[in-house]
Amino acid sequence: MSDLATLPKNGGLANKKTLSGFPSLSNWFDDFSMGEFPSLFSSNFNTGMSTPKVNIKEEADAFIVEMAVPGLKKSDFNINLDNNTLSISAELKENNEEKDEGYTRREFGYSSFKRIFTLPETVEDSKINAKYNEGILNIHLPKKEEAKQKPARSIKVS
């Protein structure tokens, strides 16, 4: 298993090629963060939602994207694949109303995020799956058979 990839300030990873001719994690992962929806008010009823951070791991047979998004439900996520573009988004609308002895108090809030990633052609897009557990969204991006890392082996000289 490789180390986690980290995103520098500009949102891209360092560019490098692998020996097999397939793009490495570094040169396929273009992240176009759509930014956070800014909090319009400083009061506590509109908390906003910052752009979630991601960890990306490259394993021998897959790429794993882990996104920290606590406080959401599975149904809050919208994950789409269009050609080689993976988009992950969530949108929350909150509307609270209290009625008490002659007055009505209404507070509402809106928050959202959207992350977009360009996937390499080595990802088997028909087998992508996502799971959400304890505030972490995990997206499993399996590699095509020809892109999987082969184990080292000895070759006999005849």
Side-chain angles (χ1 to χ4, degrees), residues 58-138:
E58 181 175 5
E59 297 180 348
D61 61 348
F63 298 100
I64 310 296
V65 177
E66 300 170 325
M67 183 179 290
V69 280
L72 299 179
K73 299 180 297 239
K74 292 176 187 180
S75 60
D76 292 332
F77 294 102
N78 189 10
I79 303 172
N80 293 306
L81 182 64
D82 185 10
N83 292 318
N84 285 354
T85 304
L86 178 72
S87 66
I88 306 163
S89 62
E91 183 176 300
L92 297 174
K93 296 177 184 176
E94 187 177 340
N95 193 1
N96 297 322
E97 183 174 338
E98 294 178 23
K99 292 186 178 187
D100 188 25
E101 295 185 28
Y103 71 91
T104 300
R105 175 179 154 184
R106 289 185 181 163
E107 293 184 352
F108 62 92
Y110 174 86
S111 56
S112 68
F113 74 85
K114 185 170 189 176
R115 298 288 306 255
I116 298 174
F117 305 99
T118 301
L119 303 181
E121 292 184 20
T122 58
V123 170
E124 185 70 54
D125 61 1
S126 63
K127 296 181 180 178
I128 295 173
N129 65 58
K131 294 179 183 174
Y132 182 67
N133 187 27
E134 296 186 11
I136 304 294
L137 177 66
N138 284 289

Side-chain angles (χ1 to χ4, degrees), residues 10-53:
N10 66 3
L13 295 172
N15 192 13
K16 67 179 185 181
K17 294 267 184 195
T18 62
L19 294 177
S20 65
F22 293 103
S24 69
L25 176 67
S26 308
N27 63 355
W28 70 262
F29 197 77
D30 297 328
D31 177 12
F32 299 100
S33 173
M34 301 309 274
E36 64 183 278
F37 186 86
S39 179
L40 298 175
F41 306 99
S42 60
S43 63
N44 63 3
F45 71 87
N46 187 355
T47 59
M49 181 184 295
S50 63
T51 304
K53 303 291 184 194

